[in-house]
Amino acid sequence: MEITRTARPYWIALLALTAAMLLSILVGSVQISFAALVEALRSGAETTAGKILFSLRLPRTILVAMTGAALAGSGTAYQGLFRNPLADPYLIGVASGAGLGAVAAMSLRWPYTTFGLMAVPLAAFASGLLTVAIVYALAKVGRAIPASNLILAGVAVSSFTTALTSFLMLRSNGELRRALAWLLGGATMSGWQPVLALLPYLVVGLGILLTLGHALNVLQFGDEQAQQLGLPVTRVRRLIIIAASLTTAAAVSFAGIIGFVGLIIPHILRLLTGADYRRLLPLSLVGGAALLLAADVLARVLLAPQELPVGIVTALAGAPFFLWVLRRSRQANFWS
Amino acid sequence: MLEVRDLSAAYSGKHVLKDLNFCLQAGEMLAVIGPNGAGKSTLVRVLSGILPPQSGQVLFNGKNLAKLPPAERAQLIAVVPQARSIPPAYTAWQVVMLGRTPYLNWFGQTSPQDEELVHLAMERTSTLELAPRLVGELSGGELQRVLLARALVQTTPVLLLDEPTTHLDLQYQISLLNQVQDLIHRPAGWALANGHGAPGALVVLHDLNLVARFADRVLLLVQGQLRALGSVSEVLQPELLSEAFGIALDVVQNPIGAHPLVVAR
């Protein structure tokens, strides 16, 4: 009697991810043919193609995939937490809040080692959490958070933190100018170091988020009903915020501020597979990775040999999508 | 069974309920009536643990409910909310299954027994054929029955219904309350899974004629205080009601039925 739980959406998402990964590995300033890829995989990093593959393309592909998964996963969690189809780590200001923390940490000392790289997300996490708390407090009216308030508060806080970040960068000289390209959402950090530094944060953050599907389902009925159904609402909410903010902060620390992935993916998935968060969460990780990889490939080929920050590509595609969701949700009376 | 003792509640310092004392018995339908702002919904919120009481206690078989963790409380008290504020994109089956939440683990893993209970509850509330449909597509009457089924699978000895008939057509008002009455007077074996007796239901109702027809006892709340508590004929008195509602009301014998009728004079 339960609605059919086929594995089909997972296969489709995995297929899209595989295709996007292949594209991301093969396409770039030096095109690698499929044959060269197979050859490189067989012989290791000895050929030119092999060198490019193992020291540049592969780590970048994995970093971008992880970032996409992180953004979409935390976007799904925020949408569920705020019961708002427009929530996204970028739009509610967490991403730019985390960005401020990351830049502040980098301005103290540019991270050269893996350990140095691992300290950045902690600063980003702290300021990201602080940002959610502020946005939350600003948007709250009584016990409810009207959808429009959340976005308005997010925009205001986001502008403020972005201004602080810009100020920090202007004041600094030398190293921190690198942060500008990073901040626009380009995976300018290369090699395996950022991948390794990001991994533990994502394992923890996404690991927690993946367990929260059932709790998020119950939360969709509002705090009162959730509590009447036996959910420890305050504890659950806190856990979601911490896990989603950690995930966002980690992604921002290594890939810059990339908007709209966390908006687009959960929305499309909800249309395709329904509202069950136990399915939405894992699917959003795969879908987010695939989407950001595709955007990253576009960013590399659109103005080749010049590379666009991927944040520009996602914003160009995401902003119209945002407007579409806005229209749709108004019609569907999502705003109550 | 459920005992309310010296209960007071307040929103930001403003008293909403004052020194309430009453009991809800197993197998009875207790209707709570009163003018708007009398504290009826607040009473439901306090009983279900949403709003902590300012003073006094809510006891279940002597156990203080305020001290129980949410899941344990939800195994004793189920709430049928008003049909609005239900997320539209879940199927009816999924919504009813969420009633098992107090018994499920963190991941919401369900067992064949849970599925069986959901099946039985949906059968009992005539919602089984709605199971695969999205609740956003259901009519108010259908949705309210789905929410009743959700409360049933919580298999609690106490049911709270907060104005369950407000958004329903007359036919659905009658059939819903018929079902509730049936459930508490002739409970199914599976609904007593927790070893409690027949459930007692506290129902907030606006329509006094529905009260006259369905309630076993009536509690009249006025400005947060208990004004009267007793059988239908004891509480549905013209003087009491006229004073409570601030309008002249008459209670007349229904010429074609057993229940009295309340009419404005």
Side-chain angles (χ1 to χ4, degrees):
Chain A
M1 186 47 77
E2 176 134 29
I3 61 164
T4 45
R5 251 206 224 145
T6 63
R8 207 143 112 240
Y10 292 100
W11 284 117
I12 294 172
L14 283 175
L15 205 68
L17 177 61
T18 313
M21 286 188 97
L22 262 182
L23 263 182
S24 169
I25 287 171
L26 299 178
V27 175
S29 51
V30 176
Q31 303 282 347
I32 300 177
S33 69
F34 196 75
L37 170 68
V38 175
E39 176 60 31
L41 285 177
R42 200 179 303 150
S43 61
E46 280 155 31
T47 57
T48 321
K51 274 190 194 111
I52 295 177
L53 184 71
F54 285 108
S55 60
L56 289 173
R57 293 282 169 78
L58 205 53
R60 173 169 183 152
T61 298
I62 293 175
L63 183 67
V64 171
M66 283 162 70
T67 307
L71 291 174
S74 54
T76 306
Y78 283 128
Q79 289 192 7
L81 174 73
F82 293 116
R83 296 201 289 148
N84 183 335
L86 295 174
D88 155 287
Y90 178 68
L91 290 170
I92 62 173
V94 185
S96 42
L100 175 61
V103 168
M106 288 180 196
S107 72
L108 289 177
R109 191 142 175 244
W110 184 261
Y112 284 107
T113 61
T114 305
F115 267 121
L117 278 175
M118 287 187 70
V120 176
L122 289 182
F125 177 47
S127 68
L129 267 187
L130 187 67
T131 314
V132 199
I134 294 172
V135 169
Y136 199 87
L138 284 176
K140 208 166 161 180
V141 178
R143 284 195 311 270
I145 301 182
S148 42
N149 277 21
L150 183 68
I151 303 303
L152 289 176
V155 168
V157 172
S158 180
S159 310
F160 187 77
T161 50
T162 307
L164 282 180
T165 308
S166 308
F167 176 75
L168 271 182
M169 294 205 295
L170 279 177
R171 292 263 305 168
S172 78
N173 34 29
E175 305 273 37
L176 213 51
R177 290 185 192 277
R178 287 200 226 165
L180 183 63
W182 161 83
L183 205 59
L184 287 172
T188 45
M189 298 189 182
S190 60
W192 289 101
Q193 264 188 357
V195 174
L196 290 177
L198 176 57
L199 194 62
Y201 295 106
L202 281 201
V203 169
V204 174
L206 291 179
I208 296 175
L209 283 185
L210 281 175
T211 72
L212 287 165
H214 172 63
L216 277 164
N217 278 343
V218 181
L219 267 189
Q220 297 319 295
F221 290 75
D223 284 6
E224 287 201 7
Q225 283 187 51
Q227 207 168 324
Q228 287 162 345
L229 288 168
L231 195 76
V233 171
T234 318
R235 227 174 65 206
V236 165
R237 276 181 163 278
R238 207 178 295 142
L239 193 61
I240 296 171
I241 288 189
I242 288 175
S245 304
L246 178 64
T247 311
T248 305
V252 166
S253 300
F254 297 110
I257 296 173
I258 299 169
F260 298 105
V261 176
L263 171 79
I264 295 174
I265 288 297
H267 210 83
I268 290 178
L269 289 175
R270 210 177 289 120
L271 288 179
L272 292 179
T273 74
D276 189 341
Y277 278 85
R278 285 174 303 179
R279 277 150 74 86
L280 279 181
L281 280 167
L283 278 173
S284 70
L285 302 193
V286 182
L291 179 72
L292 195 59
L293 279 170
D296 187 55
V297 170
L298 272 183
R300 277 185 271 163
V301 300
L302 276 181
L303 293 179
Q306 208 195 349
E307 213 174 86
L308 281 173
V310 68
I312 292 180
V313 177
T314 61
L316 285 178
F321 189 88
F322 173 83
L323 293 175
W324 176 70
V325 177
L326 189 68
R327 266 186 79 87
R328 232 179 68 87
S329 56
R330 267 196 199 288
Q331 284 160 358
N333 207 7
F334 254 102
W335 293 83
S336 56
Chain B
M1 188 179 60
L2 190 74
E3 189 189 349
V4 172
R5 203 183 275 170
D6 301 326
L7 185 74
S8 295
Y11 288 121
S12 50
K14 203 174 137 261
H15 269 283
V16 187
L17 295 176
K18 269 174 267 167
D19 295 324
L20 290 186
N21 281 290
F22 67 91
C23 286
L24 176 69
Q25 306 296 345
E28 77 162 340
M29 189 192 290
L30 174 65
V32 176
I33 61 171
N36 286 333
K40 304 186 296 288
S41 290
T42 306
L43 179 60
V44 171
R45 299 187 72 229
V46 175
L47 294 181
S48 63
I50 300 296
L51 182 70
Q54 195 187 39
S55 62
Q57 292 168 329
V58 182
L59 306 167
F60 178 82
N61 288 348
K63 244 188 300 182
N64 188 347
L65 287 178
K67 298 229 162 79
L68 292 183
E72 275 181 49
R73 192 166 46 218
Q75 294 176 4
L76 296 175
I77 297 187
V79 182
V80 180
Q82 294 185 16
R84 51 187 172 76
S85 75
I86 297 297
Y90 290 93
T91 63
W93 177 274
Q94 285 173 319
V95 170
V96 177
M97 185 56 95
L98 288 180
R100 294 302 292 164
T101 300
Y103 303 94
L104 301 180
N105 63 12
W106 179 255
F107 302 98
Q109 241 169 356
T110 55
S111 67
Q113 285 89 328
D114 293 317
E115 311 238 331
E116 174 77 15
L117 269 179
V118 170
H119 191 96
L120 289 167
M122 294 189 86
E123 213 167 48
R124 182 80 191 244
T125 53
S126 332
T127 51
L128 202 49
E129 71 276 18
L130 307 174
R133 290 178 54 194
L134 295 180
V135 288
E137 299 165 353
L138 302 183
S139 74
E142 291 168 333
L143 182 53
Q144 199 70 65
R145 294 206 312 271
V146 168
L147 292 173
L148 180 61
R150 188 184 78 180
L152 280 185
V153 300
Q154 281 181 251
T155 59
T156 58
V158 178
L159 283 173
L160 304 179
L161 297 93
D162 189 4
E163 298 184 18
T165 57
T166 301
H167 299 284
L168 304 188
D169 290 342
L170 187 59
Q171 81 224 40
Y172 288 126
Q173 297 182 9
I174 302 283
S175 76
L176 184 84
L177 289 174
N178 259 328
Q179 261 170 354
V180 174
Q181 196 174 47
D182 192 48
L183 287 165
I184 57 179
H185 289 166
R186 298 190 307 107
W190 55 265
L192 310 176
N194 283 351
H196 303 292
L202 181 145
V203 189
V204 175
L205 282 175
H206 264 303
D207 188 327
L208 298 177
N209 289 313
L210 291 176
V211 172
R213 175 160 172 178
F214 288 103
D216 296 311
R217 286 197 303 153
V218 185
L219 191 162
L220 174 61
L221 268 185
V222 179
Q223 294 183 338
Q225 283 174 307
L226 194 153
R227 184 67 188 78
L229 173 64
S231 68
V232 169
S233 55
E234 282 166 350
V235 179
L236 294 193
Q237 291 290 338
E239 314 82 61
L240 259 176
L241 295 180
S242 300
E243 181 209 320
F245 288 90
I247 173 181
L249 293 170
D250 266 331
V251 179
V252 296
Q253 203 47 51
N254 184 344
I256 51 167
H259 314 288
L261 284 173
V262 181
V263 291
R265 195 173 291 162

